Amino acid sequence: MRLDGYEIGFATCADPSQAGCTLDAAPNAAMWGVQYELSDDDMAKLDNAAGVQKGNWAHQPVAVRDGAGNHVETTTFIIPDASGPHRPPESYVAPIYKGAADFDLPADYVARLRQLIHQAQS
């Protein structure tokens, strides 16, 4: 799936002991990834693990495009009211890199992803 108008960002949640990925608005950018379909029960478990009820993450409706260019309405997570930047450790970004490789995301996107992660870690 492709999400236009955003890049990956890293931020600290309202609870400073929590941090991770979020969306940063970037008008000429695009993010690539995988869409998962979850049952209501699994979504509730994910919300609980993410701390949605505590305000650490929140649902954000987005419109993505699939490989055929079809428009798909879906939901992602963002960090609302981020309290600051986050320097993600290698253990956090390694699965991001693995996913990009496993799902054969576009090379120019993967290069930009690596650049954004490197900037966040610096």
Side-chain angles (χ1 to χ4, degrees), residues 67-109:
N70 298 309
H71 177 91
V72 178
E73 296 289 329
T74 190
T75 301
T76 190
F77 287 89
I78 61 164
I79 298 175
D81 305 318
S83 65
H86 172 60
R87 290 184 177 182
E90 204 55 39
S91 61
Y92 187 90
V93 299
I96 296 171
Y97 290 140
K98 183 174 181 340
D102 288 352
F103 290 101
D104 197 28
L105 300 182
D108 60 336
Y109 172 71

Side-chain angles (χ1 to χ4, degrees), residues 1-108:
M1 295 292 189
R2 177 186 165 131
L3 174 62
D4 291 321
Y6 293 94
E7 289 187 317
I8 192 170
F10 299 91
T12 302
C13 299
D15 173 353
S17 70
Q18 301 291 316
C21 293
T22 193
L23 297 178
D24 285 342
N28 296 319
M31 292 181 64
W32 289 83
V34 177
Q35 179 184 19
Y36 292 94
E37 186 172 336
L38 300 176
S39 68
D40 289 343
D41 185 51
D42 285 340
M43 186 59 126
K45 290 176 185 174
L46 184 57
D47 286 350
N48 186 51
V52 169
Q53 69 283 3
K54 297 175 186 174
N56 290 329
W57 272 269
H59 293 190
Q60 167 120 2
V62 293
V64 296
R65 297 214 177 264
D66 66 15
N70 298 309
H71 177 91
V72 178
E73 296 289 329
T74 190
T75 301
T76 190
F77 287 89
I78 61 164
I79 298 175
D81 305 318
S83 65
H86 172 60
R87 290 184 177 182
E90 204 55 39
S91 61
Y92 187 90
V93 299
I96 296 171
Y97 290 140
K98 183 174 181 340
D102 288 352
F103 290 101
D104 197 28
L105 300 182
D108 60 336

